[in-house]
Amino acid sequence: MNTSELNSFIVILIYGSLVLLSLLKLANPLRVNHKANFWFGIFLFLWSTFWLDEVLFLITGSIVEFHSLFWVRFIQFFTPIVFYFSVLFYTNPSFTFKPTDVKFLILPVAFLVCLVLTKLGYAKPFEYISIILILIQALFYTALSYITIRKHQKKIQQFSSNTEGINLNWLEYIILVLLIVNIIYVIYNLFYDPKSLNFFINAVFLSVIYWVGYYSMKQKEIYPLEEKQRQELISMDEDSDPEEVKRKLISDEELAKIKTSLEGIMELQKPYLDSELNLIKLAEMLSVSTHHLSYVINTGFGKNFFQYVNEYRVNYAKRLLKEPNSKLSILGIAYESGFNSKTSFNTTFKKVTGQTPSEFKK
């Protein structure tokens, strides 16, 4: 099989995989992240259309200028927006569209006007403008998606002690990989023969698609299903910073009282050994609201919930690592200490102590 035939085979795999994955996300067999999976399924379907002209050529044997079709170009223009919508709903399942969100249609309407004017014979200026709009749209919503995910990763540390599986790292990696691939493609378009890059680009995209499929299908529900609890956590300040001087939610006396109770529970009951411990569970143990508990941890200890709980886990793990006759492996100690994976254990342990668990044990 030569490179051309192999590239054709990869194109078919790309298109088929994207359509299949799109249908799976829309069907949502695991019944999680409903709105996010709906928009992500639409995004995957739109993404698949960028290979449809090559698939039609392989089927019919004649060149079909699929991308030049008016309605196809217009629909494809929505790909970055739809990706951003999926990110919005992953990071905030209670998000609802408001009348002011008509702003999302500004660039598509401008693009539609350019397409119409190009079709009417004013190709020279408006064809170039439409290309510029495509680039602006892609860069703007890619950057916005990335910022939204970064804010989400910071926010979930305010209520979750284990962020692995809910931090949406896989979406962040998609953005970075696609950005790198597109930069390479643009450079080749400007200075080299882009066709010579087709096999490489398609091979990379195929790898990315299977990787996306794996992580998107195993993405669990990020927020609690119970509506009241979900709203409590979503309403928490996204940009809360333990270093900031924050508005007083409770008196200093009440803060000191909750702080003492919290330290007592952490020492005696060791709730941090529960790998699923979150702000809601700990607040229930103390019989305080999640907002008050978050305030006490942020203000009283100068940490977020994730840092506070995981420091207890690391200290517990240090005690286990020091035991001379312990039969537990590093992974066993990780699970025993409340971590849910060796990766999160190693990362958190090194961040707190400056050493990996293995280095500390030696």
Side-chain angles (χ1 to χ4, degrees):
M1 185 182 285
N2 59 37
T3 307
S4 177
E5 290 172 333
L6 187 58
N7 185 54
S8 299
F9 178 66
I10 289 173
V11 165
I12 292 168
L13 282 178
I14 287 172
Y15 180 72
S17 300
L18 280 172
V19 171
L20 177 61
L21 188 55
S22 169
L23 293 172
L24 281 171
K25 297 308 287 181
L26 290 170
N28 196 8
L30 299 178
R31 301 287 176 232
V32 294
N33 304 304
H34 291 276
K35 291 179 182 177
N37 281 334
F38 170 79
W39 286 104
F40 196 71
I42 300 295
F43 158 71
L44 291 169
F45 181 77
L46 291 176
W47 195 15
S48 74
T49 64
F50 288 91
W51 283 272
L52 190 52
D53 52 348
E54 293 182 65
V55 172
L56 290 173
F57 172 73
L58 292 172
I59 294 169
T60 63
S62 58
I63 296 172
V64 180
E65 292 295 334
F66 189 74
H67 290 282
S68 65
L69 295 176
F70 180 91
W71 62 273
V72 174
R73 287 190 68 189
F74 181 60
I75 289 171
Q76 285 178 340
F77 188 76
F78 283 90
T79 308
I81 304 180
V82 172
F83 178 77
Y84 173 64
F85 287 165
S86 71
V87 170
L88 267 183
F89 282 108
Y90 274 123
T91 57
N92 181 4
S94 296
F95 175 81
T96 52
F97 290 107
K98 301 178 286 294
T100 53
D101 290 328
V102 73
K103 62 181 180 282
F104 290 121
L105 295 175
I106 293 171
L107 287 175
V109 168
F111 184 71
L112 180 61
V113 170
C114 287
L115 288 182
V116 171
L117 291 171
T118 301
K119 199 172 179 67
L120 291 173
Y122 303 99
K124 196 169 184 181
F126 292 104
E127 185 65 37
Y128 293 127
I129 293 170
S130 64
I131 292 168
I132 291 168
L133 285 172
I134 290 168
L135 289 171
I136 290 171
Q137 167 108 319
L139 290 172
F140 177 75
Y141 284 106
T142 298
L144 202 56
S145 298
Y146 187 80
I147 291 166
T148 304
I149 293 165
R150 280 291 181 173
K151 283 184 177 179
H152 167 78
Q153 289 167 346
K154 185 179 176 183
K155 183 177 180 179
I156 57 174
Q157 290 195 355
Q158 291 293 336
F159 63 80
S160 179
S161 64
N162 269 318
T163 58
E164 213 174 40
I166 62 169
N167 56 20
L168 298 175
N169 272 351
W170 60 279
L171 280 172
E172 189 180 21
Y173 296 148
I174 292 173
I175 292 168
L176 292 173
V177 169
L178 293 181
L179 194 61
I180 291 165
V181 170
N182 283 320
I183 288 169
I184 293 169
Y185 195 69
V186 168
I187 291 169
Y188 260 78
N189 265 289
L190 292 173
F191 302 106
Y192 306 99
D193 176 17
K195 289 184 179 178
S196 64
L197 198 64
N198 276 357
F199 173 73
F200 167 75
I201 292 287
N202 285 332
V204 171
F205 273 130
L206 184 63
S207 304
V208 170
I209 288 159
Y210 281 121
W211 186 79
V212 167
Y214 173 75
Y215 281 100
S216 68
M217 292 309 292
K218 66 179 284 195
Q219 177 63 58
K220 58 185 182 182
E221 197 78 50
I222 295 169
Y223 290 91
L225 289 171
E226 206 276 305
E227 190 61 31
K228 188 183 175 185
Q229 292 182 351
R230 172 180 286 191
Q231 288 300 336
E232 271 186 52
L233 297 183
I234 289 172
S235 67
M236 289 178 68
D237 184 10
E238 287 187 41
D239 300 312
S240 54
D241 188 338
E243 303 296 324
E244 289 179 355
V245 178
K246 301 176 74 176
R247 179 175 60 85
K248 273 195 173 186
L249 288 182
I250 53 176
S251 66
D252 291 341
E253 294 78 13
E254 185 68 15
L255 187 147
K257 184 182 173 184
I258 296 174
K259 190 177 172 183
T260 303
S261 300
L262 176 58
E263 287 176 319
I265 281 177
M266 295 299 278
E267 291 296 335
L268 294 173
Q269 297 186 36
K270 298 179 173 59
Y272 54 86
L273 298 180
D274 173 13
S275 64
E276 298 300 318
L277 180 68
N278 59 30
L279 189 70
I280 293 170
K281 286 184 181 180
L282 194 54
E284 286 173 352
M285 291 178 75
L286 286 158
S287 299
V288 297
S289 74
T290 53
H291 284 273
H292 285 178
L293 178 57
S294 180
Y295 175 80
V296 169
I297 293 171
N298 290 170
T299 309
F301 295 97
K303 298 164 188 171
N304 60 39
F305 180 77
F306 179 85
Q307 292 166 334
Y308 180 74
V309 172
N310 280 287
E311 280 185 20
Y312 273 95
R313 287 174 175 164
V314 168
N315 289 331
Y316 188 84
K318 282 162 74 176
R319 292 199 293 272
L320 295 179
L321 288 164
K322 283 178 183 176
E323 289 180 8
N325 301 318
S326 175
K327 293 181 180 178
L328 285 171
S329 64
I330 297 292
L331 182 60
I333 288 171
Y335 288 138
E336 196 72 20
S337 305
F339 293 94
N340 56 11
S341 77
K342 192 174 180 179
T343 305
S344 63
F345 178 47
N346 285 338
T347 304
T348 309
F349 194 95
K350 187 163 187 179
K351 197 168 185 178
V352 173
T353 66
Q355 295 176 297
T356 64
S358 302
E359 288 168 347
F360 179 86
K361 191 176 176 72
K362 289 176 184 175

